[in-house]
Amino acid sequence: MLELSVIETAFTPWQSLAGGVLIGLASVLLMLSLGRIMGATGILAGVLTPSAHPDKGWRLAILAGMVSGPLALLVLTGAMPAVEVPVSMPMLVLGGFLVGIGVTYGSGCTSGHGVCGMARLSRRSIAATLTFMLTTGLTVYIIRHVLGA
């Protein structure tokens, strides 16, 4: 049988608030400065697609910022952020594959739909975000209560 364990998450309201404010601010600044949506998968796809997106400079800058964040924390605090991944590598690969399918069929990810699309009152983004959240809740319920983790 599948062995599962309970994954507990710490309640960090101030860190969560700060992270949300920074994501919102970055999204607004990108929209104001370049008129672009801050959807992480779209930004990454624009870098990886050979000639479809000639505007790779700002995309690379955003991806560099996402990757260099932990390095900035290391410089400021002397420690890298703690990252715990309590699942096996096959589960990570499966999860990544499922997320890839979801963002393809949903025409975007949680950052594009949940942060930017909902702020623009896009019906499609509101429907997508509701679908993300309902699916997440159902998955957690099944894993914790049906499968007994």
Side-chain angles (χ1 to χ4, degrees):
M1 180 169 180
L2 183 64
E3 182 180 325
L4 300 171
S5 61
V6 174
I7 301 169
E8 295 202 19
T9 54
F11 181 60
T12 57
W14 295 113
Q15 291 170 327
S16 301
L17 177 64
V21 167
L22 289 173
I23 289 170
L25 182 62
S27 299
V28 168
L29 289 175
L30 184 62
M31 179 62 81
L32 285 174
S33 63
L34 298 176
R36 305 302 302 223
I37 300 293
M38 180 84 155
T41 56
I43 292 169
L44 180 61
V47 169
L48 298 178
T49 307
S51 61
H53 298 282
D55 56 347
K56 291 188 183 197
W58 68 267
R59 294 171 189 273
L60 287 169
I62 288 176
L63 291 173
M66 290 178 180
V67 172
S68 64
L71 297 176
L73 186 65
L74 175 63
V75 170
L76 292 172
T77 66
M80 290 289 281
V83 177
E84 295 179 28
V85 183
V87 296
S88 66
M89 185 57 76
M91 290 301 283
L92 283 174
V93 171
L94 176 63
F97 180 72
L98 292 173
V99 167
I101 291 172
V103 300
T104 300
Y105 283 115
S107 298
C109 60
T110 52
S111 58
H113 285 301
V115 176
C116 299
M118 287 184 55
R120 294 183 348 262
L121 301 177
S122 164
R123 288 185 200 167
R124 185 174 72 121
S125 290
I126 292 168
T129 304
L130 285 171
T131 302
F132 298 152
M133 299 310 291
L134 289 171
T135 303
T136 300
L138 182 61
T139 301
V140 169
Y141 180 83
I142 289 171
I143 288 174
R144 291 193 176 172
H145 300 287
V146 175
L147 297 177

